[in-house]
Amino acid sequence: MAGRVQVVPPEPGDVLVAGVGMSAGGPVEPPGHEPAPEPLPQPEKAPEKKRKSRAARVVVGCVGAVAVLAGGATAYVLVSGGEESRKNNEPRADAPVAGWAVRAGRDMRAMAVVQYDGALRGEAGQSARLRLKVTRSGAATGRLSLGGRQFDVVTVGGDTYIKADTAFWRRYGTDSAHPENYAGRWSKAPESMPGLDVANVLAPESIARALVKASGKASLENVGGTPVYRVKTPKADYLVTRSAPYRLLRVQVAGNGDPALSVTRLTQPAPVFTELRPRVAALVGAADPSVRFRAGKLTFLNCNENVSGCTVSVPATMTVPESGPVPQGARAALRATITADGRTLGSCTGSGAVPANRSLVLRCTVRSAGWRAWMRQARDTPGEHAYEAQARVVGQALTAGEVGRLLARLDRERAALAPARRTTPSAGASAAVSPTGRS
């Protein structure tokens, strides 16, 4: 009921094990479809000086701490011009725009993994270097080098996450007063970090579609002595060689300074998936700095003389975003640590969906060996024995269930790259796949 504080006990899919023995309760071308006719050839124009509006910004500087990448799953459908359509619409025999675009798109679709390298420069002159390996669907793994420090980066499900230190979050996160909430663990990348709309700009499938769709706007240029087509789109420019096999040479991303990323074809996708999968698996409970909370008074439940565990309860209210409806899928995560006699007895985490009234109560239970041993000793020793807890509430980006679905999608993509087996399984045979991907 609106106005009431919702109590969210820990649930199996929401509780992360931070202590020992924690409570578990606490492209295809569509067959039979012809594309729309390509636009009639237009007189060649001088290259545009600058686009007025560009999306998918790449910036370095202290702006807002929100998700760098937007958008959800990408529909992997590529519409290409048919042979007859190309014959009717080619502007001239020596410049078969539709023909080279389709061939370049096919080349991109054949890529299982592509690597991008580039230097990114932001508003205050800060520079960063990015190396990113992107799969056909837009999942990515890589590293960001910034100020002499290196941070791991992973993109999955349309969002980018980074594992950075306290100094990074103090400088680039808007919640600079509490960088410890995000440091040393996977967290959604802040907007001020150099970021890319990977799924829609750098994924081979997306590039293939963009080349065909915007090929009529291509201009002719020379890059380092190599003749190229420059295909302009709202989010990026794609530079494709003008000679067969019409390969992607560079991507110039729309954003601050229009940074250019060089392209390297990777012929061995297996190492990329081997690095990518454990990073995605580690995203369970990743923090989301785009939503923040004010925590209320911490209380203990069923702790005194309870050897089996101690439950921590904390009310919380969403404070960021400050107004408007609760963002879809917004979650709050509680992280609590119990200490006594100067040592840590155990930790626990729990999470819950944020209701429409923005207020909820989060709980988690410490069932660690440290707590059990300390409580037994306290019960057997006369006198007072004090214990205390520290807790913080942060936004949560992904639950265990959501990460499981992302892993399943990643495994399907990897399996599709494996050569078909010629042997036929015996009747009744089956194979079980563990969460680590091993059978």
Side-chain angles (χ1 to χ4, degrees):
M1 182 179 296
R4 291 188 177 181
V5 174
Q6 178 174 335
V7 176
V8 183
E11 298 181 359
D14 297 335
V15 177
L16 314 179
V17 178
V20 179
M22 218 182 68
S23 171
V28 293
E29 298 179 9
H33 286 268
E34 287 295 331
E38 298 179 7
L40 292 176
Q42 299 295 326
E44 198 167 304
K45 297 180 180 179
E48 298 178 9
K49 293 182 179 179
K50 185 81 174 177
R51 275 171 298 216
K52 295 182 180 179
S53 173
R54 310 193 72 173
R57 296 186 63 80
V58 180
V59 293
V60 182
C62 192
V63 191
V66 299
V68 173
L69 306 181
T74 304
Y76 307 131
V77 180
L78 175 65
V79 180
S80 64
E83 291 294 333
E84 187 172 346
S85 174
R86 291 201 301 275
K87 290 178 182 179
N88 294 334
N89 292 281
E90 289 179 359
R92 56 184 184 271
D94 60 341
V97 177
W100 69 258
V102 170
R103 291 178 65 179
R106 288 172 181 166
D107 182 66
M108 290 303 303
R109 288 182 304 180
M111 291 188 190
V113 179
V114 60
Q115 177 176 299
Y116 297 94
D117 292 270
L120 314 176
R121 187 166 296 278
E123 297 171 349
Q126 305 97 331
S127 63
R129 185 150 197 94
L130 178 70
R131 168 165 288 186
L132 205 59
K133 300 170 185 176
V134 184
T135 73
R136 186 175 297 164
S137 69
T141 180
R143 180 163 290 183
L144 179 76
S145 301
L146 184 64
R149 308 188 311 279
Q150 294 187 332
F151 308 122
D152 292 335
V153 177
V154 64
T155 296
V156 67
D159 291 318
T160 292
Y161 302 84
I162 186 169
K163 195 172 185 180
D165 58 16
T166 302
F168 172 92
W169 286 102
R170 184 176 291 115
R171 179 169 184 176
Y172 296 104
T174 53
D175 191 12
S176 56
H178 301 285
E180 69 279 0
N181 286 344
Y182 315 103
R185 63 194 299 251
W186 287 108
S187 301
K188 255 189 181 181
E191 188 179 68
S192 54
M193 189 200 85
L196 298 167
D197 187 351
V198 177
N200 295 315
V201 175
L202 298 181
E205 289 277 5
S206 297
I207 294 175
R209 291 194 300 273
L211 292 179
V212 174
K213 182 178 180 181
S215 61
K217 303 176 183 178
S219 59
L220 308 183
E221 297 185 18
N222 224 289
V223 176
T226 302
V228 298
Y229 294 107
R230 178 183 289 269
V231 180
K232 297 178 180 291
T233 74
K235 295 183 177 181
D237 288 358
Y238 300 103
L239 280 65
V240 179
T241 58
R242 293 214 307 263
S243 59
Y246 307 110
R247 289 186 171 173
L248 182 67
L249 184 67
R250 186 179 299 177
V251 178
Q252 189 164 328
V253 181
N256 186 23
D258 291 349
L261 302 175
S262 63
V263 179
T264 303
R265 304 169 65 89
L266 300 182
T267 58
Q268 299 296 328
V272 177
F273 281 91
T274 299
E275 177 180 289
L276 181 57
R277 197 183 196 284
R279 288 188 175 187
V280 174
L283 294 178
V284 176
D288 184 356
S290 68
V291 291
R292 298 204 295 275
F293 300 85
R294 181 181 64 252
K297 183 179 179 181
L298 181 152
T299 57
F300 293 105
L301 300 176
N302 193 27
C303 296
N304 289 342
E305 299 189 13
N306 185 359
V307 176
S308 62
C310 176
T311 298
V312 175
S313 178
V314 178
T317 301
M318 175 183 283
T319 57
V320 175
E322 296 181 0
S323 59
V326 172
Q328 184 177 5
R331 297 183 65 83
L334 167 69
R335 283 184 272 164
T337 300
I338 297 179
T339 60
D341 303 328
R343 69 179 190 274
T344 299
L345 302 183
S347 300
C348 65
T349 65
S351 68
V354 181
N357 67 0
R358 294 173 165 251
S359 297
L360 70 165
V361 175
L362 296 162
R363 292 173 181 168
C364 68
T365 302
V366 172
R367 296 183 181 275
S368 64
W371 168 263
R372 294 195 298 270
W374 183 86
M375 182 55 72
R376 288 193 185 97
Q377 182 180 10
R379 290 173 58 180
D380 295 340
T381 305
E384 293 185 354
H385 303 277
Y387 56 92
E388 60 182 5
Q390 294 180 339
R392 51 191 169 187
V393 179
V394 299
Q396 184 186 51
L398 293 169
T399 66
E402 290 167 335
V403 170
R405 288 188 287 274
L406 292 172
L407 287 172
R409 187 186 309 170
L410 196 65
D411 290 341
R412 288 194 296 270
E413 181 178 1
R414 183 175 188 174
L417 299 175
R421 295 183 179 180
R422 295 184 179 180
T423 56
T424 303
S426 58
S430 62
V433 178
S434 71
T436 60
R438 299 173 181 173
S439 57

